[in-house]
Amino acid sequence: MTLQDKVVIITGASAGIGRGIAGRLAAEKATLVLAARSEDKLQLLSEELSAGGCKVLVAKTDVSDPNDLSDLVDATVAKFGRIDVLVNNAGVECFDYFERLETDDIIQTIETNLTSAILLTRMVIPYMLQQKSGAIVNMASTAGKHCPAYESVYGATKAGLIAFTQGLRGEYLDFGITA
């Protein structure tokens, strides 16, 4: 798949791997929708990528909020009329002995790493079905296959993401959508 002029949503785009992905896709002339909670960091990245000729939409998004996910999809379609690639990259960790983890940290890790990817993919698939093409990229981790000590919740979310991706691939490959 050539990425030139493809509309790509990237969650967790403000730093780390997400920022790196944005830079690589901009070099491929993709149209980018940058989503994260840190709007100031997104704006700086947008300015940098736009200076190189990339079309960019910044979308302040808390992926653990389904309303923000819906707004992200709506803003993308309103601005660009399509969604070609979804990169579910947003992620957090809670690192400690399992019994010491706070309930809120467990819930936040599951919502950010797994639930958000499932919900956002559910919102994007209808557009890809309409187009008869698309790609879902879920950023997992080796922790999803071989979970290290003190990262049981993180590893569980990444294992879930791997299984989700495998299921999507089987369901939608005949419809022109890859995962």
Side-chain angles (χ1 to χ4, degrees):
M1 167 191 276
T2 179
L3 293 171
Q4 185 168 349
D5 300 322
K6 298 292 185 190
V7 177
V8 182
I9 296 174
I10 306 168
T11 66
S14 63
I17 293 171
R19 192 177 204 293
I21 291 168
R24 293 293 300 267
L25 294 178
E28 297 291 326
K29 307 293 185 213
T31 298
L32 301 179
V33 180
L34 306 175
R37 292 176 295 182
S38 305
E39 190 171 17
D40 55 336
K41 290 181 182 178
L42 290 176
Q43 288 296 346
L44 289 173
L45 179 57
S46 173
E47 290 169 15
E48 178 185 318
L49 299 177
S50 295
C54 184
K55 293 180 204 163
V56 180
L57 171 65
V58 167
K60 183 178 186 305
T61 306
D62 178 349
V63 297
S64 67
D65 182 342
N67 293 319
D68 276 11
L69 296 177
S70 182
D71 291 346
L72 170 62
V73 171
D74 291 346
T76 301
V77 173
K79 174 101 175 167
F80 300 117
R82 61 186 298 115
I83 301 169
D84 298 296
V85 180
L86 170 61
V87 180
N88 284 310
N89 172 69
V92 295
E93 292 182 87
C94 51
F95 184 81
D96 205 345
Y97 285 95
F98 182 71
E99 83 276 2
R100 293 182 188 169
L101 295 175
E102 297 292 329
T103 300
D104 288 346
D105 292 334
I106 293 169
I107 291 168
Q108 183 67 36
T109 301
I110 294 168
E111 287 179 348
T112 301
N113 297 1
L114 182 58
T115 306
S116 71
I118 292 170
L119 294 178
L120 186 54
T121 299
R122 171 61 186 86
M123 294 174 190
V124 165
I125 288 280
Y127 295 99
M128 293 180 174
L129 286 170
Q130 223 173 19
Q131 298 161 191
K132 297 181 173 54
S133 68
I136 308 294
V137 179
N138 293 320
M139 301 300 289
S141 166
T142 56
K145 294 200 174 250
H146 308 286
C147 188
Y150 313 107
E151 292 198 40
S152 56
V153 175
Y154 176 80
T157 63
K158 295 305 181 173
L161 199 55
I162 291 167
F164 175 60
T165 305
Q166 291 168 340
L168 282 176
R169 184 181 307 121
E171 286 178 49
Y172 291 102
L173 193 56
D174 290 342
F175 297 94
I177 301 170
T178 61

